[in-house]
């Protein structure tokens, strides 16, 4: 597939976005192209899982789903001389979930 086609299939979930809009777009893509990729990072991780589950239940037919879990490095944070130490609660990476859904021909 062309690069533009892959971008259409990708639904990038943000923590501030409306779930109904993400679900509607994902369902439309799944019905039109037969596949969709839902991706969420950091605080949008759980929302991506919810969007995928709602999408899976909203289409007619069987949906085959694969899930990838990764971690991405966070961008470097500029610190001044007084704040040189990392606090134990700070994590240098963010979780990433990528959920691929395809309509089954069965």
């Amino acid at each position: 597939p062309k690069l533009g086609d892959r971008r259409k299939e990708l639904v990038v979930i943000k923590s501030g976005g409306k779930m109904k809009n993400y679900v509607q777009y994902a369902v439309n893509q799944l019905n039109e192209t037969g596949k969709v990729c839902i991706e969420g990072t950091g605080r949008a991780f759980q929302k991506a899982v919810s969007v995928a589950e709602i999408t899976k239940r909203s289409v007619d037919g069987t949906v085959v789903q694969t899930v990838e879990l990764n971690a991405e490095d966070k961008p470097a944070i500029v610190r001044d001389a007084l704040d040189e130490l990392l606090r134990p609660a700070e994590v240098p990476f963010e979780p990433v979930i990528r959920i691929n859904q395809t309509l089954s021909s069965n």
Side-chain angles (χ1 to χ4, degrees), residues 20-80:
K20 71 175 188 168
N21 294 341
Y22 292 131
V23 170
Q24 183 178 19
Y25 186 79
V27 167
N28 287 342
Q29 286 305 308
L30 198 54
N31 285 329
E32 288 176 16
T33 66
K35 52 189 166 183
V36 69
C37 179
I38 300 166
E39 183 177 294
T41 303
R43 294 185 353 200
F45 189 94
Q46 180 58 44
K47 187 179 274 190
V49 172
S50 297
V51 168
E53 289 301 314
I54 293 168
T55 301
K56 189 167 60 172
R57 289 180 177 86
S58 298
V59 295
D60 294 330
T62 304
V63 175
V64 177
Q65 179 171 296
T66 59
V67 178
E68 296 174 42
L69 295 174
N70 293 309
E72 287 183 354
D73 290 333
K74 284 186 179 179
I77 300 170
V78 177
R79 300 179 181 279
D80 59 21

Side-chain angles (χ1 to χ4, degrees), residues 79-97:
R79 300 179 181 279
D80 59 21
L82 298 174
D83 193 21
E84 289 182 16
L85 300 175
L86 286 174
R87 289 179 217 99
E90 292 183 19
V91 180
F93 62 88
E94 289 184 318
V96 177
I97 189 164

